[in-house]
Amino acid sequence: MLYVLKTIANLILPPGCLIIALLVYIVLYYRMSKRLPKLIVTIFIAFYILSIPLTSDLLMHSLEYKYQPPDKLNGDVIIVLGGGATLTSPDYNGSGNLSGSASNRLLTAARIHTKTGLPIIFSGGKVFNSSGNEAEIAKRQLLDLLISDNSVIIENKSLNTAENAKFTEVLLTKYQYTKPILITSAFHMPRAVINFNKSEIKNFQIYPADYTTNKTLSVTFNSFVPSSSSFNYSSIALHEYLGIIQLLVKK
């Protein structure tokens, strides 16, 4: 019964209700004119395909499993890439929070630090006027986790992944780190690796985090039910692919 209710909710809420509305329009139009509205049909098909878990899982999975976490860590510093932050939302100690993806990346870094004692470089600035400074928020939260101040280094100017690599390179040179461990969301890692390879940062170890898909995908009835989260993940994946294409074209 629970799954039935979830399916009904997905069909009542956007994008499910919009897809149904488009389908109803296509049927009524055809009954009246005996012709299909080709543009509307194209929009309906594209909207539906991008909104179902089957598509979003395939798109995200192709990005997330390009790289695997290493069996053994071999580094002298942890680099964590930011991924969004709020400015004035309440936090346990202060204002501003990292987004879900950025928080998962930070949590992975904190756990690795606890096991290894390696220092953490968090890279991410204030992207928009309404967003928080990612590195400064991250440092506050890491200190709240009882990680010492001298174990946290922040790079708080970068606005995108290319600048993450550029500005982090300066810090690695300054502190003489030569074997960084790069942490970011698994879906973001392919684009991050290209950006870091374009910099002078060498010998970095790749550690994906923040997975959204299982290692082995399965197809169920729910795989074909549209949902807002699936549409969002499809958009995220396409954004990553667009960024990768732009980087490859610039080579």
Side-chain angles (χ1 to χ4, degrees), residues 73-86:
L73 293 173
N74 180 28
D76 56 4
V77 66
I78 303 164
I79 298 175
V80 192
L81 305 187
T86 56

Side-chain angles (χ1 to χ4, degrees), residues 120-162:
I120 298 172
I121 297 176
F122 192 99
S123 176
K126 181 180 174 68
V127 180
F128 303 107
N129 289 334
S130 59
S131 61
N133 189 292
E134 298 172 23
E136 293 174 6
I137 293 172
K139 181 172 183 177
R140 185 185 75 235
Q141 293 182 343
L142 287 172
L143 295 181
D144 279 348
L145 292 173
L146 303 182
I147 295 176
S148 64
D149 184 77
N150 59 11
S151 292
V152 181
I153 303 167
I154 62 172
E155 181 287 294
N156 61 1
K157 302 297 183 183
S158 59
L159 303 180
N160 55 36
T161 310

Side-chain angles (χ1 to χ4, degrees), residues 14 22-23 28 50 61 82 90 94 104 107 115 118 121 137 140 144 156 173 175 196 199 215 221 233 248 251:
L22 286 173
L23 180 60
L28 293 177
L50 291 174
H61 191 274
N104 286 337
L107 178 60
K115 294 291 185 180
L118 295 177
I121 297 176
I137 293 172
R140 185 185 75 235
D144 279 348
N156 61 1
T173 301
Y175 292 99
F196 273 70
S199 72
K215 193 169 185 177
F221 172 78
Y233 284 135
L248 294 178
K251 278 189 175 182

Side-chain angles (χ1 to χ4, degrees), residues 50-71:
L50 291 174
S51 298
I52 58 175
L54 177 65
T55 304
S56 63
D57 285 351
L58 287 172
L59 288 172
M60 291 294 279
H61 191 274
S62 64
L63 292 167
E64 292 186 331
Y65 290 91
K66 182 175 177 60
Y67 299 101
Q68 298 288 334
D71 294 327

Side-chain angles (χ1 to χ4, degrees), residues 2 23 77 98 106 124 140 145 152 161 190 192 197 205 212 240:
L2 174 63
L23 180 60
V77 66
L98 297 178
L106 187 68
R140 185 185 75 235
L145 292 173
V152 181
T161 310
N197 280 333
Q205 192 172 29
T212 65
E240 291 301 316

